[in-house]
Amino acid sequence: MNLEDLFSLKGRVALVTGGSRGIGRMIVEGFLAAGIERVYITARKEDELNATADELGEKVIGIQGDISTLEGCDQLVAAICDKEDRLDILVNNAGAAWGADYTEFPEAGWDKVMDLNVKTPFFLTQKLHTLLTAAASADRPAKVINITSVDGQRVNPWETYSYQASKAALIHLTRRMAARLVKDHIYVSSIAPGAFPSNMNRVARDMEDESAKGIPSKRVGDAFDMGGSAVYLASRAGDYTIGETLTVDGGIVNAHLPTHFADPAGGR
Ligand SMILES: NC(=O)c1ccc[n+]([C@@H]2O[C@H](COP(=O)([O-])OP(=O)(O)OC[C@H]3O[C@@H](n4cnc5c(N)ncnc54)[C@H](OP(=O)(O)O)[C@@H]3O)[C@@H](O)[C@H]2O)c1
């Protein structure tokens, strides 16, 4: 077994939605380190998108657009189809959050989050089915990686009702889509990030030390954690991991002792 071949993405073409910054950009950096042939990134803000594509080099190509609507997804698919006849890896990463007091939580904050976080990954993957199928074989399956969240795995105290529901929905949708697409040699899985510094997670970005206190490993996540996990799932190394959600969170979900159990002698 050769370690380089195991994790290599040589000769593969990927699309990472929301690749202009944050977690999407970390994934692109991982794919580049694994030798990927080309990566398309998308975002609404063209300046930031182009700046990221320029910074990361000629293998990274920006396609500007809003993918929160089916029309936006169609435009993105048309732009990819113009340039490629196959797609090896799709990362459904673009996402939105909304926080508001329960009694005032607005419909706009429900629809915006559910549309981008649940509806878009389903329909974008459906619309890219022909291109993914063209890349997929039993020896080298195509991959779809949905970026979910630990907030879909356990209740968090923030009043982000639609966000938490959307991520739980996407974790289950990952399994259901995996069950359908496995026969086409398209393997669907998900990564559930914990706290990664980004525009969305400003607490992890601007109060890193404070955030780290609540994480069992005592640090927030970085590009190595996210890039490494995405490369694993996208490459040969991840070919037997299907429908699974890989939790990448420094232990928040699976290695966190509830405070009332933290002291083994507690309560006695
Ligand atoms: N950071 C964390 O701690 C964390 C934890 C768990 C899960 N996640 C998940 O990770 C994913 C990425 O989040 P992030 O923290 O990296 O957030 P971020 O920094 O806000 O990045 C979001 C990306 O998505 C793009 N985007 C947003 N709305 C879009 C739309 N309608 N159409 C096209 N592109 C759009 C953004 O670019 P434009 O604004 O220019 O469109 C940007 O590239 C999300 O699904 C999020 O739920 C993040």
Side-chain angles (χ1 to χ4, degrees):
M1 201 182 294
N2 175 304
L3 193 65
E4 205 184 314
D5 290 346
L6 195 57
F7 291 95
S8 172
L9 296 179
K10 280 193 185 117
R12 303 196 199 206
V13 176
L15 165 61
V16 179
T17 68
S20 65
R21 59 171 192 258
I23 283 182
R25 183 186 165 131
M26 295 177 198
I27 290 170
V28 174
E29 288 177 28
F31 285 178
L32 289 171
I36 198 147
E37 189 172 312
R38 262 187 310 291
V39 192
Y40 293 91
I41 58 173
T42 75
R44 291 162 303 175
K45 295 182 200 78
E46 198 160 20
D47 288 354
E48 189 174 37
L49 182 72
N50 290 339
T52 300
D54 287 349
E55 238 176 89
L56 295 180
E58 59 188 16
K59 288 179 167 182
V60 181
I61 301 152
I63 301 176
Q64 187 272 338
D66 182 342
I67 56 165
S68 63
T69 62
L70 293 194
E71 294 74 35
C73 291
D74 283 333
Q75 282 164 17
L76 171 59
V77 172
I80 297 281
C81 285
D82 260 1
K83 298 169 200 290
E84 303 290 342
D85 51 19
R86 64 170 225 277
L87 183 68
D88 298 278
I89 304 158
L90 166 63
V91 183
N92 286 309
N93 164 73
W98 194 299
D101 185 86
Y102 177 72
T103 54
E104 283 152 26
F105 201 93
E107 187 179 7
W110 188 269
D111 291 343
K112 179 183 175 172
V113 170
M114 284 294 179
D115 282 352
L116 185 62
N117 295 11
V118 187
K119 194 171 166 185
T120 293
F122 180 80
F123 285 103
L124 188 59
T125 308
Q126 182 202 57
K127 289 168 189 294
L128 287 166
H129 187 249
T130 306
L131 279 195
L132 289 163
T133 306
S137 67
D139 287 344
R140 208 178 85 169
K143 302 288 176 72
V144 175
I145 303 171
N146 294 324
I147 304 306
T148 56
S149 172
V150 292
D151 290 354
Q153 296 178 310
R154 56 93 176 92
V155 175
N156 119 7
W158 296 342
E159 292 197 275
T160 50
Y161 299 98
S162 54
Y163 184 78
Q164 298 188 35
S166 76
K167 294 300 182 177
L170 189 56
I171 287 170
H172 196 72
L173 185 60
T174 297
R175 294 192 202 104
R176 186 62 188 90
M177 288 173 69
R180 165 62 184 82
L181 295 177
V182 66
K183 70 180 162 73
D184 301 329
H185 309 302
I186 300 168
Y187 294 174
V188 187
S189 61
S190 113
I191 294 175
F196 282 74
S198 75
N199 276 24
M200 185 187 285
N201 194 337
R202 289 179 191 185
V203 180
R205 186 188 66 191
D206 302 336
M207 294 191 282
E208 203 176 309
D209 291 345
E210 204 48 41
S211 286
K213 281 184 194 159
I215 300 169
S217 65
K218 300 297 171 210
R219 67 171 178 85
V220 298
D222 64 19
F224 291 89
D225 302 310
M226 190 46 58
S229 305
V231 167
Y232 160 67
L233 288 175
S235 65
R236 172 64 188 88
D239 280 1
Y240 214 50
T241 303
I242 304 174
E244 175 69 359
T245 288
L246 182 60
T247 306
V248 182
D249 68 345
I252 293 172
V253 171
N254 294 309
H256 202 266
L257 293 173
T259 40
H260 59 287
F261 289 141
D263 173 7
R268 274 186 276 137

PDB file of all heavy atoms in Angstrom, residues 151-165:
ATOM      1  N   ASP A 151     -24.297  20.811  15.348  1.00  0.00           N
ATOM      2  CA  ASP A 151     -25.596  21.334  15.786  1.00  0.00           C
ATOM      3  C   ASP A 151     -26.765  20.493  15.272  1.00  0.00           C
ATOM      4  O   ASP A 151     -27.912  20.694  15.695  1.00  0.00           O
ATOM      5  CB  ASP A 151     -25.776  22.785  15.328  1.00  0.00           C
ATOM      6  CG  ASP A 151     -24.852  23.717  16.098  1.00  0.00           C
ATOM      7  OD1 ASP A 151     -24.173  23.252  17.036  1.00  0.00           O
ATOM      8  OD2 ASP A 151     -24.809  24.919  15.764  1.00  0.00           O
ATOM      9  N   GLY A 152     -26.480  19.573  14.358  1.00  0.00           N
ATOM     10  CA  GLY A 152     -27.502  18.614  13.931  1.00  0.00           C
ATOM     11  C   GLY A 152     -27.394  17.305  14.682  1.00  0.00           C
ATOM     12  O   GLY A 152     -28.154  16.368  14.439  1.00  0.00           O
ATOM     13  N   GLN A 153     -26.422  17.224  15.598  1.00  0.00           N
ATOM     14  CA  GLN A 153     -26.192  15.974  16.333  1.00  0.00           C
ATOM     15  C   GLN A 153     -26.544  16.075  17.814  1.00  0.00           C
ATOM     16  O   GLN A 153     -26.689  15.070  18.488  1.00  0.00           O
ATOM     17  CB  GLN A 153     -24.718  15.564  16.207  1.00  0.00           C
ATOM     18  CG  GLN A 153     -24.307  15.242  14.780  1.00  0.00           C
ATOM     19  CD  GLN A 153     -22.834  14.900  14.690  1.00  0.00           C
ATOM     20  OE1 GLN A 153     -21.991  15.629  15.187  1.00  0.00           O
ATOM     21  NE2 GLN A 153     -22.532  13.797  14.056  1.00  0.00           N
ATOM     22  N   ARG A 154     -26.577  17.305  18.309  1.00  0.00           N
ATOM     23  CA  ARG A 154     -26.957  17.500  19.713  1.00  0.00           C
ATOM     24  C   ARG A 154     -27.513  18.931  19.841  1.00  0.00           C
ATOM     25  O   ARG A 154     -27.270  19.764  18.988  1.00  0.00           O
ATOM     26  CB  ARG A 154     -25.765  17.261  20.654  1.00  0.00           C
ATOM     27  CG  ARG A 154     -24.516  18.118  20.364  1.00  0.00           C
ATOM     28  CD  ARG A 154     -24.551  19.370  21.199  1.00  0.00           C
ATOM     29  NE  ARG A 154     -23.374  20.201  21.072  1.00  0.00           N
ATOM     30  CZ  ARG A 154     -23.247  21.199  20.211  1.00  0.00           C
ATOM     31  NH1 ARG A 154     -24.187  21.458  19.326  1.00  0.00           N
ATOM     32  NH2 ARG A 154     -22.175  21.974  20.221  1.00  0.00           N
ATOM     33  N   VAL A 155     -28.280  19.162  20.899  1.00  0.00           N
ATOM     34  CA  VAL A 155     -28.926  20.467  21.052  1.00  0.00           C
ATOM     35  C   VAL A 155     -27.900  21.472  21.559  1.00  0.00           C
ATOM     36  O   VAL A 155     -27.141  21.190  22.477  1.00  0.00           O
ATOM     37  CB  VAL A 155     -30.104  20.362  22.039  1.00  0.00           C
ATOM     38  CG1 VAL A 155     -30.703  21.739  22.315  1.00  0.00           C
ATOM     39  CG2 VAL A 155     -31.171  19.433  21.474  1.00  0.00           C
ATOM     40  N   ASN A 156     -27.863  22.638  20.905  1.00  0.00           N
ATOM     41  CA  ASN A 156     -26.985  23.682  21.423  1.00  0.00           C
ATOM     42  C   ASN A 156     -27.846  24.839  21.914  1.00  0.00           C
ATOM     43  O   ASN A 156     -28.961  25.026  21.461  1.00  0.00           O
ATOM     44  CB  ASN A 156     -25.911  23.956  20.357  1.00  0.00           C
ATOM     45  CG  ASN A 156     -25.841  25.335  19.787  1.00  0.00           C
ATOM     46  OD1 ASN A 156     -26.499  26.258  20.224  1.00  0.00           O
ATOM     47  ND2 ASN A 156     -25.029  25.475  18.773  1.00  0.00           N
ATOM     48  N   PRO A 157     -27.370  25.599  22.894  1.00  0.00           N
ATOM     49  CA  PRO A 157     -28.247  26.571  23.558  1.00  0.00           C
ATOM     50  C   PRO A 157     -28.603  27.800  22.726  1.00  0.00           C
ATOM     51  O   PRO A 157     -29.531  28.542  23.067  1.00  0.00           O
ATOM     52  CB  PRO A 157     -27.452  26.978  24.805  1.00  0.00           C
ATOM     53  CG  PRO A 157     -26.044  26.562  24.560  1.00  0.00           C
ATOM     54  CD  PRO A 157     -26.064  25.460  23.551  1.00  0.00           C
ATOM     55  N   TRP A 158     -27.885  28.045  21.617  1.00  0.00           N
ATOM     56  CA  TRP A 158     -28.205  29.219  20.798  1.00  0.00           C
ATOM     57  C   TRP A 158     -29.581  29.044  20.164  1.00  0.00           C
ATOM     58  O   TRP A 158     -29.991  27.927  19.827  1.00  0.00           O
ATOM     59  CB  TRP A 158     -27.160  29.424  19.702  1.00  0.00           C
ATOM     60  CG  TRP A 158     -25.804  29.734  20.248  1.00  0.00           C
ATOM     61  CD1 TRP A 158     -25.488  30.182  21.506  1.00  0.00           C
ATOM     62  CD2 TRP A 158     -24.561  29.592  19.561  1.00  0.00           C
ATOM     63  NE1 TRP A 158     -24.136  30.326  21.628  1.00  0.00           N
ATOM     64  CE2 TRP A 158     -23.539  29.979  20.452  1.00  0.00           C
ATOM     65  CE3 TRP A 158     -24.200  29.187  18.267  1.00  0.00           C
ATOM     66  CZ2 TRP A 158     -22.190  29.973  20.108  1.00  0.00           C
ATOM     67  CZ3 TRP A 158     -22.870  29.178  17.917  1.00  0.00           C
ATOM     68  CH2 TRP A 158     -21.877  29.573  18.830  1.00  0.00           C
ATOM     69  N   GLU A 159     -30.270  30.184  19.969  1.00  0.00           N
ATOM     70  CA  GLU A 159     -31.633  30.118  19.420  1.00  0.00           C
ATOM     71  C   GLU A 159     -31.591  30.141  17.881  1.00  0.00           C
ATOM     72  O   GLU A 159     -32.139  31.026  17.242  1.00  0.00           O
ATOM     73  CB  GLU A 159     -32.479  31.230  20.003  1.00  0.00           C
ATOM     74  CG  GLU A 159     -32.714  30.984  21.502  1.00  0.00           C
ATOM     75  CD  GLU A 159     -33.850  31.798  22.061  1.00  0.00           C
ATOM     76  OE1 GLU A 159     -33.602  32.962  22.421  1.00  0.00           O
ATOM     77  OE2 GLU A 159     -34.978  31.279  22.128  1.00  0.00           O
ATOM     78  N   THR A 160     -30.945  29.116  17.363  1.00  0.00           N
ATOM     79  CA  THR A 160     -30.808  28.974  15.900  1.00  0.00           C
ATOM     80  C   THR A 160     -31.677  27.786  15.469  1.00  0.00           C
ATOM     81  O   THR A 160     -31.163  26.765  15.028  1.00  0.00           O
ATOM     82  CB  THR A 160     -29.333  28.734  15.525  1.00  0.00           C
ATOM     83  OG1 THR A 160     -28.826  27.661  16.357  1.00  0.00           O
ATOM     84  CG2 THR A 160     -28.477  29.966  15.755  1.00  0.00           C
ATOM     85  N   TYR A 161     -32.989  27.946  15.626  1.00  0.00           N
ATOM     86  CA  TYR A 161     -33.920  26.819  15.460  1.00  0.00           C
ATOM     87  C   TYR A 161     -33.853  26.185  14.075  1.00  0.00           C
ATOM     88  O   TYR A 161     -33.716  24.969  13.940  1.00  0.00           O
ATOM     89  CB  TYR A 161     -35.350  27.271  15.785  1.00  0.00           C
ATOM     90  CG  TYR A 161     -35.462  27.744  17.209  1.00  0.00           C
ATOM     91  CD1 TYR A 161     -35.417  29.093  17.530  1.00  0.00           C
ATOM     92  CD2 TYR A 161     -35.537  26.813  18.252  1.00  0.00           C
ATOM     93  CE1 TYR A 161     -35.462  29.523  18.846  1.00  0.00           C
ATOM     94  CE2 TYR A 161     -35.589  27.232  19.571  1.00  0.00           C
ATOM     95  CZ  TYR A 161     -35.544  28.595  19.865  1.00  0.00           C
ATOM     96  OH  TYR A 161     -35.576  29.001  21.163  1.00  0.00           O
ATOM     97  N   SER A 162     -33.952  27.016  13.044  1.00  0.00           N
ATOM     98  CA  SER A 162     -33.956  26.444  11.691  1.00  0.00           C
ATOM     99  C   SER A 162     -32.588  25.853  11.351  1.00  0.00           C
ATOM    100  O   SER A 162     -32.495  24.832  10.668  1.00  0.00           O
ATOM    101  CB  SER A 162     -34.363  27.501  10.654  1.00  0.00           C
ATOM    102  OG  SER A 162     -33.550  28.655  10.767  1.00  0.00           O
ATOM    103  N   TYR A 163     -31.516  26.471  11.827  1.00  0.00           N
ATOM    104  CA  TYR A 163     -30.172  25.956  11.535  1.00  0.00           C
ATOM    105  C   TYR A 163     -29.991  24.562  12.123  1.00  0.00           C
ATOM    106  O   TYR A 163     -29.540  23.634  11.443  1.00  0.00           O
ATOM    107  CB  TYR A 163     -29.113  26.918  12.104  1.00  0.00           C
ATOM    108  CG  TYR A 163     -27.696  26.503  11.771  1.00  0.00           C
ATOM    109  CD1 TYR A 163     -27.163  26.750  10.511  1.00  0.00           C
ATOM    110  CD2 TYR A 163     -26.885  25.860  12.706  1.00  0.00           C
ATOM    111  CE1 TYR A 163     -25.875  26.369  10.188  1.00  0.00           C
ATOM    112  CE2 TYR A 163     -25.594  25.472  12.397  1.00  0.00           C
ATOM    113  CZ  TYR A 163     -25.084  25.731  11.128  1.00  0.00           C
ATOM    114  OH  TYR A 163     -23.806  25.340  10.817  1.00  0.00           O
ATOM    115  N   GLN A 164     -30.360  24.395  13.385  1.00  0.00           N
ATOM    116  CA  GLN A 164     -30.162  23.094  14.034  1.00  0.00           C
ATOM    117  C   GLN A 164     -31.016  22.021  13.349  1.00  0.00           C
ATOM    118  O   GLN A 164     -30.552  20.895  13.104  1.00  0.00           O
ATOM    119  CB  GLN A 164     -30.457  23.199  15.533  1.00  0.00           C
ATOM    120  CG  GLN A 164     -29.480  24.181  16.210  1.00  0.00           C
ATOM    121  CD  GLN A 164     -29.558  24.205  17.728  1.00  0.00           C
ATOM    122  OE1 GLN A 164     -29.800  23.196  18.377  1.00  0.00           O
ATOM    123  NE2 GLN A 164     -29.328  25.376  18.311  1.00  0.00           N
ATOM    124  N   ALA A 165     -32.253  22.397  13.001  1.00  0.00           N
ATOM    125  CA  ALA A 165     -33.130  21.441  12.298  1.00  0.00           C
ATOM    126  C   ALA A 165     -32.582  21.134  10.901  1.00  0.00           C
ATOM    127  O   ALA A 165     -32.624  19.986  10.438  1.00  0.00           O
ATOM    128  CB  ALA A 165     -34.544  22.010  12.192  1.00  0.00           C
TER     129      ALA A 165
END
